[in-house]
Amino acid sequence: MPSEYEPFEAFIARRDEILKIVYVSCYALKHLEGAGKLSAVLKQPKDAQDHTGLMEKEALKEAADGFPLMHSTGTLLLWAALESSTRDMLIRWLVKHPKALQAKDVANVRIKIGEYEQLDTEDRMRFVVGLVEKETGSALQPGVGRFTGLLRAFSINPKCDDGLKRDLLEMASLRHCIAHRAGVADRKLLTACPWLTLKENDRIGIKREDFLRYSKAASNYAANTIEAARAASSALSAASAPSAS
């Protein structure tokens, strides 16, 4: 059976893939300069020349602005990867440590026995995690709160200092506007992250240094979650060990 921490190995691979795609795309866009002239020299059809010239113009504008669209897309993908990996890790962890289901916040969750009994072991844990998410309201919490309430229900408490909380809050809040507001800042974002130099209805443009900061924050939180899960595993093992007579 794969390790319960394998989802975070998948996160690392996905993170690196996202970084590579963003880098390669930025490089390609930057080096489209001259494409329009080349199309004209090659005497391509007029519509092909016009299309190439337009693509060159848009690519060079994106490059001149610091590739905000590419970094916004990368941020969206990174948050999705962190979210799914954290959830999948918890599901695998519960398969290995079913005793954690006896926790107070979990034992009181109402389960439809008919649905539950039809599932295999991993899908049962996925079912339970979904119910606990609803009970804790974690899916509606901003930033790192998306994870802490759910993980805390199983006594998994990742370290998260103020700097990491702020970076993850900023990342998640921007991600929400990119995904659900067509990349436009809303009042919710400005309230959550008043330090951002944005006004309501401003177009969001994420800089390279911010994108890399979000990648580092996501990676650090993933590492902290693994450490916290291991500590919770040790506590469960100690609690279930027979006492010395």
Side-chain angles (χ1 to χ4, degrees):
M1 180 179 175
S3 165
E4 63 268 42
Y5 306 116
E6 186 275 335
F8 281 126
E9 294 178 8
F11 168 76
I12 292 173
R14 181 62 170 163
R15 178 202 63 191
D16 292 349
E17 182 181 53
I18 293 167
L19 290 169
K20 181 168 63 177
I21 289 172
V22 170
Y23 174 80
V24 171
S25 298
C26 290
Y27 181 89
L29 289 169
K30 187 175 181 180
H31 287 81
L32 271 180
E33 187 171 7
K37 181 178 180 180
L38 178 60
S39 180
V41 170
L42 291 172
K43 297 182 179 180
Q44 292 185 335
K46 181 67 166 53
D47 58 343
Q49 291 185 40
D50 291 343
H51 177 74
T52 302
L54 178 62
M55 292 300 99
E56 178 185 357
K57 180 181 177 181
E58 292 298 323
L60 295 181
K61 182 180 184 301
E62 174 74 4
D65 291 342
F67 306 104
L69 181 59
M70 292 310 308
H71 294 134
S72 293
T73 302
T75 298
L76 182 74
L77 294 173
L78 273 174
W79 182 264
L82 177 63
E83 193 172 68
S84 62
S85 296
T86 302
R87 200 170 188 273
D88 287 345
M89 184 284 298
L90 179 58
I91 290 165
R92 296 273 187 88
W93 186 85
L94 287 171
V95 170
K96 188 169 182 178
H97 303 285
K99 192 176 181 65
L101 296 174
Q102 298 175 16
K104 178 181 177 182
D105 291 340
V106 182
N108 293 330
V109 172
R110 294 183 179 180
I111 293 177
K112 293 182 179 179
I113 298 299
E115 292 181 33
Y116 187 78
E117 288 297 324
Q118 293 178 23
L119 303 172
D120 62 27
T121 303
E122 187 164 312
D123 281 340
R124 284 182 177 184
M125 297 305 103
R126 190 176 300 277
F127 185 75
V128 169
V129 167
L131 291 176
V132 175
E133 278 184 317
K134 290 180 180 179
E135 288 289 325
T136 60
S138 60
L140 303 176
Q141 298 303 310
V144 74
R146 170 67 182 88
F147 312 115
T148 52
L150 175 61
L151 293 172
R152 188 185 299 119
F154 301 97
S155 299
I156 299 175
N157 299 296
K159 293 179 181 177
C160 193
D161 62 27
D162 289 343
L164 183 54
K165 283 182 182 177
R166 174 167 164 154
D167 286 343
L168 290 172
L169 175 60
E170 186 176 315
M171 179 185 183
S173 299
L174 288 168
R175 171 261 166 205
H176 178 82
C177 285
I178 294 166
H180 302 292
R181 294 277 299 167
V184 173
D186 61 7
R187 190 171 302 174
K188 185 177 179 180
L189 169 65
L190 304 184
T191 300
C193 307
W195 57 86
L196 294 176
T197 56
L198 288 169
K199 297 177 182 177
E200 192 171 355
N201 296 319
D202 276 356
R203 177 70 59 181
I204 292 171
I206 296 178
K207 299 178 181 178
R208 180 177 182 273
E209 57 266 30
D210 293 325
F211 171 62
L212 295 177
R213 177 163 55 87
Y214 303 148
S215 176
K216 180 180 178 180
S219 299
N220 286 338
Y221 188 75
N224 293 351
T225 301
I226 292 172
E227 291 178 344
R230 284 176 176 162
S233 298
S234 298
L236 284 170
S237 298
S240 59
S243 58
S245 55

